[in-house]
Every structure is written in structure tokens, then in C-alpha cells.
Amino acid sequence: MTAGATVARLSIAPVKSTGLYHPDEIRLERWGVPGNREFLIVNEQGRLFSGSRFGPLVAVRARYDADAGRLTLTFPDGSVASETVRLADEPTSVNVWGREVSAREGMGPWAGAVARFAEQPVRLLKPDEPGDGNDGSAASIVSTASID
């Protein structure tokens, strides 16, 4: 008899370090999952602004409708920043775990909303290449045995 595996839950975060979203299905590409880490947040110095630097960021829920190009952030107090994504013409470079990644700033309400929540200036960036917002691996698999 062969032991099988069952997928208990799928998780993505459209904005790196925000709360996880659990879709019913995903498509795994060589570079990662479309819709996962499509955006990232950087601080005033241009460094990644992540949950390890600001834990409450994981309480922000992000949803990205790629077909409509709409990014929605919902904050713990119920406030919402939602708009169709427009990107700056000029790229910028950001270090993502030792890799220089070309990205463009998202022009809209999100950075201001996150800045108010975090009480510090931030920018929202969208990497130019799919998968460049990943930490290094295209996907992670966690077994229930490792978290029990």
C-alpha cells in the first residue's frame, strides 16, 4: 500500500508579509504561484518592510484581482485601500534577500494606508518579473507533522 498525501490548505499573500489568503486552487509555475507576492513594501531607505520588521503587517488582508488589475488592502480597523493598479514609468531596484530586483512603484492609496498603519513612510512596489517577490523558492511545502 502506498501512502498518499492530501493538501490541507493552499496559502498565498498578494503583498509580501501581509496576512495569508487561502484560495481553493492555485496554478504553480516554474517561478512560483501567480498572485503570490505580486507586490512588496519597502521602507524609506528602500529596504524590504516585512513581517519580521513589523509584525502587525500580517493582520492586513491583501487581495489582488489580476484580471481587473485591482489591489485591495483591508486593515484591522476595517478601513480599506482599493484601486486599479497604475505603475510608475521608471523602475527602481530593491534587494530581495540578496537579489537585486527591478520593480515599479504602485501609484494609488496603498502606500499611504500602510504608512498610516505602520506609522512610518513606505512604498508599494510591483516586481517587473513574475516570481521576483519570492524569498528564493518558487513555493514552500509544509507538512502537518512539522507544525503539530
Side-chain angles (χ1 to χ4, degrees):
M1 180 173 197
T2 306
T6 300
V7 175
R9 182 174 11 180
L10 303 167
S11 302
I12 63 170
V15 178
K16 183 173 173 40
S17 295
T18 59
L20 295 176
Y21 169 59
H22 308 291
D24 293 331
E25 59 184 40
I26 60 168
R27 187 176 75 244
L28 183 59
E29 302 285 351
R30 189 175 75 63
W31 48 264
V33 176
N36 188 44
R37 297 178 177 178
E38 293 274 346
F39 301 89
L40 44 90
I41 300 169
V42 297
N43 65 14
E44 211 171 19
Q45 294 76 37
R47 294 182 54 200
L48 277 179
F49 185 74
S50 64
S52 62
R53 290 196 171 92
F54 184 70
L57 193 55
V58 301
V60 177
R61 292 188 330 266
R63 299 293 180 271
Y64 181 55
D65 180 342
D67 293 334
R70 186 172 203 79
L71 176 63
T72 301
L73 300 181
T74 304
F75 294 85
D77 67 359
S79 63
V80 175
S82 184
E83 193 171 295
T84 300
V85 177
R86 293 171 290 113
L87 299 175
D89 292 332
E90 293 298 315
T92 188
S93 182
V94 61
N95 185 298
V96 178
W97 302 108
R99 294 175 293 119
E100 286 303 312
V101 168
S102 177
R104 296 176 196 270
E105 187 166 357
M107 312 305 289
W110 315 283
V114 173
R116 284 187 295 281
F117 178 67
E119 298 180 343
Q120 58 185 291
V122 297
R123 293 184 301 145
L124 179 90
L125 302 178
K126 185 173 192 331
D128 289 338
E129 296 298 324
D132 275 356
N134 294 334
D135 292 347
S137 300
S140 299
I141 297 174
V142 179
S143 71
T144 54
S146 68
I147 57 174
D148 285 342

